[in-house]
Amino acid sequence: MSIKEELTKVFEEVFDEDQLELTPETTSNDIESWDSMSHVTMLMAVEDHFNIEFEQWEIMNLPDVGALLALIEKKTMKKS
């Protein structure tokens, strides 16, 4: 399973939406239930799922899912 597929599963669980279509351009504006509280929940779920930890400065200005994917890939590569 690719990182994008795994991330999609995390998003589907956090935002309680089946068959969510994530693209690199997806933002909080594209998912109705994505607000500031669910954003924090999503980031914590991503950290747990991928067994990584985000620094505050890394997540301050994530513009879209593509940037989040790149950050996850970078952090999971460092662990390998």
Side-chain angles (χ1 to χ4, degrees):
M1 187 179 288
S2 72
I3 290 177
K4 182 179 178 233
E5 291 169 331
E6 290 184 54
L7 184 61
T8 298
K9 296 273 185 213
V10 172
F11 269 60
E12 287 174 345
E13 190 173 303
V14 169
F15 297 113
D16 196 26
E17 288 193 31
D18 293 336
Q19 306 300 316
L20 195 58
E21 293 279 335
L22 281 188
T23 68
E25 295 79 25
T26 300
T27 68
S28 59
N29 295 329
D30 300 314
I31 300 175
E32 188 174 327
S33 58
W34 191 345
D35 58 20
S36 59
M37 289 299 290
S38 61
H39 183 77
V40 172
T41 301
M42 177 270 295
L43 289 172
M44 289 172 32
V46 168
E47 286 181 324
D48 286 346
H49 179 84
F50 291 99
N51 196 28
I52 56 176
E53 196 169 304
F54 296 124
E55 299 294 332
Q56 186 173 351
W57 63 269
E58 292 174 313
I59 57 174
M60 289 297 293
N61 294 306
L62 288 174
D64 52 33
V65 168
L68 179 58
L69 277 168
L71 183 56
I72 294 167
E73 288 173 1
K74 177 181 165 188
K75 289 197 164 280
T76 55
M77 290 291 206
K78 282 185 179 179
K79 291 177 59 183
S80 300

